[in-house]
């Protein structure tokens, strides 16, 4: 950690003083960049993830083109589900699909837990990326949280209402717990492998947690996220917990003892910060749609957030969710410049 030329993100994640908030953005190496498409048009999405040199090329784009304060590994939350035996493909305009959804005990029994070797390409990519970064900024590794992965496996892809998943939770909770435990065990091994390969921070993505009621979140998401975070070899590697719906579930997220809670845009960030245990940082929480607005508006909204957080240690700037593909690149670049010009 100490050999980083820019360690703003690590300091902020550990609630140490920073001269300005560090900035990175979820989906920062993505479809809003023409340079991403120049790569994407040559390879399938999974080829990009599984070829360490290509994953490194994409990971580096926002470092080289935007000058953000952290890189995030180019991969996908569903690689763990694929390694466990999910027949994964990505269809243009449809998104991820599993040809063999998990609907019953037999399907669940077929999910492999001893599958870390199938994810070695991620460890290889981390090593290539770290060589390229050469200590310039930290590298964030990540995984999908068990409930979110479960929902994709059960639905067979993305879902608007999570009907099959919620029916499973309601009618067959024991089966749901059996699958979730398997996913959690794989996730622990996977994240610890990323730490060993050299990531500087980790983020756990519970992208679809907002589908759950408070009680169901507690039973089917929170419990497993806590188990994962407790079992990470996280010395000097801060852990960020992200969930869409974090403004609702923040008190429970804090109980999992991450270093940082990543907050969506439905809450006042300072109020959330004050509700968390002392020394727990926050990340967020600009509405990504602000980045469609005029530059004067983008600047105003960012500076309003910074003024609100002035004097608070442990604040990482991010969006409340990922960048949308059609946000103008110039607007994202401008936002990063406004942030980097700011001083407390």
């Amino acid at each position: 950690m100490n050999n980083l030329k820019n360690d703003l993100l690590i300091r902020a994640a550990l609630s140490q003083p920073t001269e300005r908030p560090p900035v990175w953005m979820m989906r920062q190496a993505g479809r809003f960049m023409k340079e991403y498409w120049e790569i994407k048009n040559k390879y399938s999405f999974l080829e990009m993830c599984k070829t360490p040199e290509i994953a490194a090329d994409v990971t580096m784009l926002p470092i080289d083109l935007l000058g953000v304060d952290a890189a995030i590994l180019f991969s996908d939350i569903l690689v763990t589900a694929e390694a466990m035996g999910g027949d994964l493909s990505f269809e243009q305009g449809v998104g991820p699909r599993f040809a063999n959804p998990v609907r019953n005990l037999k399907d669940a029994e077929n999910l492999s837990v001893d599958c870390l070797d199938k994810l070695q390409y991620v460890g290889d990519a981390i090593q290539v990326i770290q060589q390229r970064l050469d200590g310039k900024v930290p590298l964030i590794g990540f995984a999908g949280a068990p409930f979110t992965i479960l929902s994709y496996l059960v639905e067979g892809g993305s879902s608007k209402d999570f009907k099959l998943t919620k029916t499973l939770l309601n009618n067959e909770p024991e089966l749901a717990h059996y699958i979730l435990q398997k996913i959690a065990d794989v996730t622990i091994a996977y994240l610890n492998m990323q730490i060993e390969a050299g990531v500087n921070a980790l983020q756990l993505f519970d992208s679809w947690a907002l589908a759950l009621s408070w009680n169901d979140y507690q039973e089917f998401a929170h419990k497993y996220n806590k188990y994962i975070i407790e079992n990470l070899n996280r010395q000097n590697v801060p852990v960020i917990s992200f969930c869409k719906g974090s403004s609702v579930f923040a008190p429970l997220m804090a109980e999992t003892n991450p270093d940082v809670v990543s907050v969506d845009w439905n809450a006042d960030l300072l109020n959330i910060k004050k509700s968390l245990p002392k020394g727990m940082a926050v990340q967020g929480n600009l509405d990504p749609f602000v980045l469609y607005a005029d530059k004067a508006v983008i600047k105003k909204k960012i500076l309003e957030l910074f003024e609100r957080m002035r004097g608070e240690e442990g604040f990482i700037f991010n969006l409340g969710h990922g960048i949308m593909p059609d946000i103008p690149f110039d607007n994202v670049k401008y936002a990063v410049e406004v942030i980097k010009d700011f001083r407390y």
Side-chain angles (χ1 to χ4, degrees):
M1 188 179 92
N2 295 334
N3 60 359
L4 288 169
K5 299 178 185 86
N6 173 349
D7 66 350
L8 271 178
L9 177 106
I10 305 297
R11 279 190 280 144
L14 298 174
S15 293
Q16 295 167 1
T18 56
E19 48 278 20
R20 66 167 171 83
V23 50
W24 73 279
M25 299 185 195
M26 289 180 258
R27 299 205 195 113
Q28 67 184 17
R31 294 172 293 174
F32 70 103
M33 294 183 179
K34 69 177 191 322
E35 292 81 1
Y36 172 87
W37 283 105
E38 284 163 13
I39 300 170
K40 175 73 182 77
N41 289 334
K42 294 180 199 160
Y43 308 97
S44 74
F45 182 73
L46 279 172
E47 275 179 306
M48 290 163 71
C49 292
K50 291 184 177 186
T51 312
E53 294 291 337
I54 301 171
D57 288 344
V58 182
T59 300
M60 292 302 294
L61 288 176
I63 307 307
D64 298 336
L65 300 173
L66 293 170
V68 288
D69 295 309
I72 182 163
L73 166 71
F74 179 76
S75 185
D76 193 84
I77 60 170
L78 295 178
V79 296
T80 45
E82 188 198 37
M84 293 174 77
D87 183 0
L88 176 64
S89 62
F90 286 85
E91 293 175 34
Q92 194 68 40
V94 179
R97 311 286 303 166
F98 284 102
N100 55 342
V102 176
R103 302 276 166 81
N104 54 45
L105 180 59
K106 186 171 182 300
D107 296 337
E109 285 171 345
N110 286 336
L111 291 172
S112 166
V113 177
D114 186 17
C115 57
L116 195 59
D117 56 323
K118 292 188 181 151
L119 293 162
Q120 186 50 49
Y121 63 86
V122 176
D124 296 342
I126 288 165
Q127 290 175 334
V128 175
I129 295 161
Q130 286 291 33
Q131 284 171 343
R132 300 249 194 115
L133 284 170
D134 192 26
K136 188 191 269 189
V137 294
L139 174 62
I140 303 167
F142 70 92
F147 170 73
T148 291
I149 302 302
L150 170 88
S151 76
Y152 280 103
L153 282 170
V154 171
E155 301 289 341
S158 304
S159 173
K160 286 190 168 64
D161 59 11
F162 301 94
K163 184 176 169 184
L164 294 169
T165 309
K166 289 183 162 194
T167 303
L168 174 74
L169 304 186
N170 287 322
N171 284 345
E172 298 180 85
E174 299 83 5
L175 178 56
H177 283 302
Y178 174 61
I179 302 166
L180 287 162
Q181 186 64 49
K182 280 188 156 188
I183 298 168
D185 287 331
V186 169
T187 306
I188 290 165
Y190 177 53
L191 288 173
N192 281 330
M193 179 263 276
Q194 291 186 36
I195 292 172
E196 206 170 306
V199 297
N200 306 101
L202 289 171
Q203 179 155 310
L204 190 63
F205 282 85
D206 212 351
S207 308
W208 299 123
L210 192 55
L212 295 170
S213 68
W214 180 272
N215 288 351
D216 283 348
Y217 177 81
Q218 212 162 3
E219 184 177 351
F220 297 106
H222 169 66
K223 175 180 164 184
Y224 294 97
N225 296 349
K226 187 171 195 288
Y227 169 68
I228 289 168
I229 292 172
E230 280 172 352
N231 284 283
L232 296 178
N233 307 325
R234 62 194 275 203
Q235 197 177 358
N236 296 329
V237 178
V239 176
I240 305 166
S241 181
F242 167 74
C243 120
K244 194 132 181 260
S246 45
S247 48
V248 179
F249 296 129
L252 287 173
M253 292 170 76
E255 286 177 22
T256 66
N257 199 30
D259 298 283
V260 187
V261 173
S262 190
V263 181
D264 58 42
W265 60 89
N266 299 118
D268 178 86
L269 197 58
L270 185 62
N271 289 348
I272 295 277
K273 178 89 168 80
K274 290 193 180 305
S275 75
L276 297 174
K278 191 164 171 47
M280 192 171 285
V282 288
Q283 174 176 278
N285 72 337
L286 191 75
D287 179 351
F289 282 83
V290 169
L291 296 178
Y292 288 115
D294 297 336
K295 286 183 176 171
V297 177
I298 293 171
K299 182 173 187 174
K300 176 173 171 279
K301 299 266 187 179
I302 289 170
L303 294 181
E304 280 173 359
L305 175 60
F306 286 3
E307 285 307 324
R308 184 83 178 121
M309 296 303 291
R310 190 179 279 279
E312 292 293 320
E313 282 171 3
F315 166 42
I316 298 164
F317 175 88
N318 209 313
L319 306 175
H321 202 234
I323 298 178
M324 277 77 76
D326 60 347
I327 286 179
F329 175 83
D330 278 356
N331 287 12
V332 183
K333 187 159 179 59
Y334 177 72
V336 173
E337 285 163 7
V338 168
I339 295 156
K340 290 176 80 172
D341 284 344
F342 181 82
R343 288 294 175 276
Y344 285 125

